[in-house]
Amino acid sequence: MTSFLETLMLLALLMAASQLGLWLQTRLHERHFTRDSVESVRLVATILATFTAIVLGLLLTATKRSFDANAHTLRTLSAQLIELDAQLREYGSEAEPIRGLLRRYTAAAIADTWPSEPAPSGVYPHRDPRQPASIEYSELTELLTQIDVLAMRLNPADAFHQRAASRINETMSATLRTRWMLIESAGSTIDWPFLIVLMLWLAVIFLVFALTSPRHAVMQVVIALSALSLASVMYVILELDTPFSGTMMISSTPLRDALAHLDRPAGPVEMPQTQPAPR
C-alpha cells in the first residue's frame, strides 16, 4: 500500500471522527454539556493531543534522521566506487575487465533503483518487470561478487602492483560492506500496529474536539484544515521511511556522478623523473 493511500485513509478517518462528534452533539442531552463536563473532556483531550504531538515529532525526527543516514551511505558507496575505479586504472590493463564489470554494476544499480528516471547508456542487467520490487537485486549482487573474485585473483608482478592489489581488495571489501548496510537500512521501520494506534489517537482527538465545538461553517473549515495538516505530516513521515520508493526518494546524483567518473577516458600516467645526483 502506498503512502498516498495510507494518508487518504487517515484523512478520511479524521473527517469521519469529527463528523461523528458533531452528530453526537445533536443526540446527547444538554446536561452532558455543562461547563465542568466540557472542561474535563477538553483537559483529557489536551493531554492526549500533547502526547500524540510528542510522538509525531519524535517519529518525524527519527525518519528524517534515517533518510539522511541512507543518503550519506549512498554518497559513501559512490565515493568508494570512484576510488575503486581509480585504483583499477592505476593497476593497469590487467584490471580493465574488472573496470568494465564495475561500470555495468553502477549503471544497473541506477536503472534498477530509480526506474522512473532516464536509464544510463550501455549494456547491463535489467530487472524482470514480473519480479517484485526490491533494493536487493540478485544480479547486482552476483556482479559485485564477480568483481570481488577477479580482484582477489589479480597476479601482481612487482612491489608496486602488490601494493595496488592490496588497496583494491581493501576498497572492494569496504564497498561490499557499505552496499549491504544500505540494503539493510533501506526498509520501512514503522510497524502497522503502531501506525493504527497512532491513527486511533488522532481520531479520538478529532471526535472530542468536534463534540465540544460550536456547529458552524468556520469550525467545519478549521476541522478540515487541521485534518489535512495532520495527514500531510503523516504522509511526509511515511515517505521518509521508504527512502528508495515513493515521491520523496534519495537522489540518484551521487551514483550518476560515480558513473560519470567511470566513463572518463584514462589519461597517461606520468612517472616522476629522477634527477641526477649533484657531483
Side-chain angles (χ1 to χ4, degrees):
M1 187 179 297
T2 64
S3 302
F4 183 71
L5 291 179
E6 294 170 357
T7 304
L8 286 182
M9 287 175 53
L10 175 60
L11 181 60
L13 177 64
L14 296 182
M15 293 304 299
S18 61
Q19 292 304 313
L20 177 61
L22 293 174
W23 178 79
L24 287 175
Q25 277 194 38
T26 64
R27 295 295 185 269
L28 295 176
H29 195 272
E30 290 184 359
R31 68 174 181 272
H32 297 292
F33 293 96
T34 63
R35 181 177 179 180
D36 291 339
S37 298
V38 171
E39 288 182 354
S40 298
V41 171
R42 285 182 175 174
L43 177 61
V44 174
T46 300
I47 295 174
L48 181 58
T50 303
F51 184 72
T52 306
I54 293 174
V55 172
L56 279 175
L58 293 174
L59 190 58
L60 180 59
T61 302
T63 52
K64 183 61 170 67
R65 186 183 298 116
S66 175
F67 185 90
D68 292 341
N70 279 292
H72 175 73
T73 305
L74 180 65
R75 291 192 295 270
T76 302
L77 177 64
S78 303
Q80 289 169 342
L81 292 174
I82 295 173
E83 182 181 3
L84 182 60
D85 179 70
Q87 292 170 354
L88 291 171
R89 290 173 188 258
E90 293 173 359
Y91 192 89
S93 59
E94 187 182 347
E96 283 301 312
I98 305 178
R99 289 192 60 239
L101 291 175
L102 188 64
R103 200 272 176 195
R104 288 182 60 195
Y105 165 78
T106 307
I110 294 172
D112 184 65
T113 309
W114 294 272
S116 60
E117 298 184 6
S121 59
V123 179
Y124 48 83
H126 291 271
R127 182 192 296 272
D128 189 341
R130 295 171 295 181
Q131 292 182 350
S134 172
I135 189 174
E136 183 186 352
Y137 183 26
S138 58
E139 291 201 28
L140 295 184
T141 302
E142 292 174 3
L143 265 179
L144 274 186
T145 302
Q146 188 177 356
I147 293 172
D148 188 33
V149 170
L150 291 177
M152 289 188 292
R153 288 180 176 176
L154 288 174
N155 188 21
D158 50 39
F160 169 79
H161 285 90
Q162 287 178 357
R163 290 193 296 270
S166 176
R167 293 175 57 202
I168 289 170
N169 285 299
E170 290 176 0
T171 306
M172 189 65 215
S173 298
T175 303
L176 290 171
R177 284 195 301 270
T178 304
R179 177 177 181 263
W180 283 114
M181 286 177 57
L182 191 63
I183 290 174
E184 292 299 324
S185 61
S188 175
T189 59
I190 301 178
D191 296 327
W192 258 105
F194 173 77
L195 193 61
I196 291 174
V197 170
L198 188 58
M199 288 182 176
L200 290 177
W201 291 349
L202 293 172
V204 170
I205 293 171
F206 270 71
L207 187 149
V208 174
F209 180 71
L211 182 63
T212 58
S213 299
R215 294 173 56 86
H216 51 69
V218 173
M219 189 54 58
Q220 294 273 10
V221 172
V222 170
I223 290 175
L225 291 177
S226 300
L228 184 61
S229 300
L230 281 173
S232 64
V233 171
M234 184 60 69
Y235 177 75
V236 171
I237 290 174
L238 293 174
E239 283 292 305
L240 292 176
D241 191 48
T242 52
F244 290 100
S245 62
T247 56
M248 297 183 184
M249 293 182 65
I250 292 177
S251 174
S252 64
T253 300
L255 270 187
R256 292 186 183 274
D257 289 343
L259 183 63
H261 279 275
L262 267 62
D263 285 337
R264 288 180 181 175
V269 179
E270 296 183 359
M271 302 297 293
Q273 295 182 356
T274 305
Q275 297 292 334
R279 294 181 180 274

